[in-house]
Amino acid sequence: MAQPVRRQDLRPMGASAPALVRVENVVKHFPVGFGTTVKAVDGVSFEIRQGETLGLVGESGCGKSTLGRLVAQLLPVTSGRVFLDDVELTRLRGEKLRQQRRELQIIFQDPFASLDPRMTVGDIIAEPLVNFRVMRGKKLNARVQELLRVVGLNPYFNNRYPHEFSGGQRQRIGIARALALNPRLIVCDEAISALDVSIQAQIVNLLEDLQREFRLTYLFIAHDLSVVRHISDRVMVMYLGKIVEIADSLEIYNRPKHPYTKALLSAIPVPDPRVQRGKRLIELTGEIPSPINPPSGCRFHTRCPIARLPTPCAEVEPQLEDKVRGHMAACHFSQEV
Amino acid sequence: MAAPILRVRNLRTQFSTDQGPVTAVDNVSFDLYPGESLGIVGESGSGKSVTALSILRLVPDPGRTVGGSVLFHEQDLLQVSDEEIREIRGRDIAMIFQDPQSSLNPVLRTGFQIDEAMLAHKQATPRQARTRTIELLRRVRIPAAETRVRDFPHQLSGGMRQRAMIAMGLANSPAILIADEPTTALDVTVQAQILELLGDLNRELGTAIIMITHNMGVVAGLCSRVIVMYAGQIVEQGPVDQIFDQPQHPYTWSLLRSIPRVDAVRHERLRSIEGMAPDLLHPPAGCRFHPRCPFRIEKCLTDEPRLEEIHPGQFASCWVSMDRARAEMNANNLDDISPGAASGLKPGEIIP
């Protein structure tokens, strides 16, 4: 297996790498009847740089999975634009969009529901290659076996069915399927959340190895900030359909610039009794407001420990802006965090 | 130290399957002291939840507790009559579960369900029960408890439902509260609030807590003592600080090193444990962790280790133990932690 590496060594391209994906002012509203809509994603802009892992965290209902699907073109946007290189994906339809999908793959949370129980593992992994008529016959078989080997499974398992595998092994199958078409971006939507702790580490390491080997770019979505921070170069925090902060993963932990990020970080249990006992929890009061009717101004103002009410926090919506060297936050008082 | 309030001895619970019995809990013994908070950690299938269910005789079919004893106030809970155990459940030993959604009856008002916990044990008149329910809801920090008491479960958020479950658990001031992954379904910010609440209740009311979880961070924050389970058995137990600082069982040691920490200062590759937990239908001979253990020696393949006191209060069941692995096998500076890597007993050399 590969030697331990530091993240910096993985990234010859570094922070200056060009954008692979650009998301501009993307909105996704789901109608829920009676003329009301759930504002799942409500105007977000960011870019994913070539070769990086961009982490996306937030609590349930914040819109992170919806955003992942919008990037992967599995859901149409309500408005806004998504670019892959210079191609505007959100304008493409039919066959042209289908061809672009080869570049965008997704790995899902539930390794039980995301594999067809009636297909063999070989057929599951071959399906993208067959769909796009990339190869067939002996060549296809060889490619499937190679993919199985790449994700650490026995290549002769191709005739088995998903139920014969454990959760961690199934997640490897899902990864092999995502790799089949040599995509450029893989969206990992809670890809390791359903796995046991010891298996999580195996899959995280595998994803890191594959990234280096195939120069992959990841959008890594999870609610577990410790895992996200570990795997990501940059971390993006969402709250109620908006991005509240984006920063380098070390920076965001050491110097969060949004009170929500700070509260989120303080809530994560650290597996160290001394640290954990000495920690001060920033308790958020109240509940997450409804995305049908989000609060005015800053959406976090109803729970924010440093909000100035009513003005500006309940009246003026803070923009996501560069605070220091690429550290973006959407808060009127980020210097006080 | 005071006498234990609960003594579990040689507990064995089996599930019968088409392919034979699966021993989910295998010879588990531990003590719980009054007012302490004890963590039981393990991965799925390690037997931590079944251990808790066995204590209260709640193991679902086809599971059966086939041996051992659970002593509570000098009576063996495994031997008392069905009526007696029903009285003890909820009155002396209460339990809260992972999913507060399915633990509450959706067609009954939340307050009524908490009243019921007291009425069932004839601990109060309906009027007294309602007063206490409101007091309990305040205690678990549900805002506007007087009105929330009339809410149906679906009107409460996930965190509030779990608070209501805790209120129900505390209704009869039990001596022991067993919490089975109570925060796993909740968001981290809500999880932190619930853990803080459990900690406060533990300190203020002196209720002993058994916290069952897969999350080492949760144990670090809440518990004073911890039991680590692997494949149905206890592999290590002891004071939390000692176990996190100087784990003695290679499983505990590897588990702690495989978790990414949010406060890590730089990126290091995770040291993952190779392989997966054994199939309990055919558990490996000798030590159950030997197929994944970097420190295994010949003896581990054949002889089952027993829990032994390695440091005062800290027990581990390992023929090698990490003290020796650190001294003789350079455990602290090991790059390769594949099975047998440190001891030199590689897979190829294992005689089948």
Side-chain angles (χ1 to χ4, degrees), chain B residues 190-202:
Chain B
V190 185
Q191 162 170 289
Q193 294 165 6
I194 298 284
L195 290 176
E196 198 161 74
L197 173 67
L198 286 172
D200 288 349
L201 296 170
N202 174 242

Side-chain angles (χ1 to χ4, degrees), chain A residues 53-214:
Chain A
T53 299
L54 178 63
L56 173 52
V57 288
E59 296 180 275
S60 23
C62 73
K64 57 187 190 299
S65 281
T66 303
L67 184 55
R69 272 150 218 245
L70 293 170
V71 170
Q73 298 302 307
L74 292 176
L75 277 175
V77 297
T78 303
S79 68
R81 307 195 288 178
V82 179
F83 293 89
L84 177 72
D85 286 330
D86 291 323
V87 183
E88 189 186 337
L89 299 173
T90 34
R91 281 176 68 153
L92 300 180
R93 297 283 177 273
E95 183 57 24
K96 281 200 175 126
L97 178 59
R98 203 178 84 93
Q99 286 305 326
Q100 289 295 329
R101 283 188 202 281
R102 298 172 63 152
E103 310 285 355
L104 309 160
Q105 295 291 321
I106 185 161
I107 306 168
F108 298 97
Q109 170 168 5
D110 186 346
F112 293 83
S114 56
L115 302 176
D116 187 334
R118 295 185 299 177
M119 286 168 77
T120 64
V121 166
D123 289 342
I124 289 171
I125 298 172
E127 199 177 19
L129 296 163
V130 173
N131 273 346
F132 284 95
R133 303 207 175 99
V134 178
M135 52 183 74
R136 48 188 230 182
K138 275 204 182 116
K139 240 176 119 187
L140 180 65
N141 282 337
R143 171 77 176 143
V144 167
Q145 294 197 341
E146 183 199 332
L147 285 163
L148 281 166
R149 204 171 354 208
V150 161
V151 297
L153 292 173
N154 185 332
Y156 299 102
F157 282 175
N158 58 347
N159 286 322
R160 299 201 183 177
Y161 287 89
H163 75 262
E164 298 175 71
F165 294 89
S166 69
Q169 288 174 319
R170 285 180 206 220
Q171 208 54 302
R172 289 175 192 266
I173 297 166
I175 294 170
R177 174 175 63 185
L179 287 175
L181 290 165
N182 289 320
R184 299 177 67 194
L185 176 79
I186 298 185
V187 176
C188 307
D189 186 4
E190 301 272 10
I192 62 159
S193 312
L195 306 175
D196 264 320
V197 183
S198 73
I199 308 298
Q200 280 192 357
Q202 294 175 0
I203 301 295
V204 166
N205 286 344
L206 173 67
L207 288 170
E208 290 186 336
D209 292 341
L210 294 172
Q211 178 168 50
R212 203 173 39 227
E213 200 172 336
F214 301 108

Side-chain angles (χ1 to χ4, degrees), chain B residues 121-307:
Chain B
H121 293 289
K122 304 189 178 60
Q123 300 270 306
T125 64
R127 195 179 289 267
Q128 288 168 330
R130 179 47 57 99
T131 315
R132 177 150 167 81
T133 294
I134 294 173
E135 188 191 305
L136 285 163
L137 290 177
R138 275 203 204 107
R139 167 127 236 160
V140 297
R141 298 182 210 137
I142 289 187
E146 317 69 44
T147 49
R148 285 300 196 172
V149 74
R150 292 184 50 77
D151 276 0
F152 286 99
H154 75 267
Q155 293 169 289
L156 305 177
S157 68
M160 281 213 268
R161 279 197 286 261
Q162 195 58 287
R163 286 169 196 268
M165 287 306 299
I166 295 172
M168 192 188 295
L170 294 174
N172 298 305
S173 309
I176 303 170
L177 181 69
I178 303 177
D180 187 1
E181 302 262 13
T183 60
T184 305
L186 306 173
D187 275 317
V188 276
T189 54
V190 185
Q191 162 170 289
Q193 294 165 6
I194 298 284
L195 290 176
E196 198 161 74
L197 173 67
L198 286 172
D200 288 349
L201 296 170
N202 174 242
R203 275 184 298 273
E204 289 161 19
L205 307 177
T207 313
I209 293 179
I210 300 180
M211 179 73 174
I212 295 162
T213 177
H214 65 275
N215 188 331
M216 286 295 214
V218 167
V219 171
L222 183 70
C223 303
S224 48
R225 225 153 46 86
V226 58
I227 290 174
V228 182
M229 288 189 75
Y230 184 77
Q233 300 175 329
I234 295 180
V235 294
E236 181 154 10
Q237 69 176 72
V240 162
D241 286 39
Q242 249 165 278
I243 300 242
F244 278 77
D245 272 356
Q246 299 278 308
Q248 289 301 331
H249 197 283
Y251 174 66
T252 320
W253 179 82
S254 341
L255 198 61
L256 284 168
R257 294 179 13 135
S258 68
I259 329 171
R261 283 179 57 156
V262 78
D263 59 345
V265 279
R266 64 191 182 107
H267 182 92
E268 267 176 80
R269 193 179 166 82
L270 298 179
R271 308 302 183 97
S272 67
I273 312 176
E274 278 189 25
M276 46 190 162
D279 173 5
L280 289 182
L281 262 175
H282 313 284
C287 169
R288 293 190 172 182
F289 188 60
H290 90 251
R292 305 172 79 184
C293 183
F295 310 107
R296 65 187 175 201
I297 54 174
E298 297 262 351
K299 199 175 186 181
C300 307
L301 314 187
T302 47
D303 297 0
E304 200 172 319
R306 296 158 60 116
L307 277 176

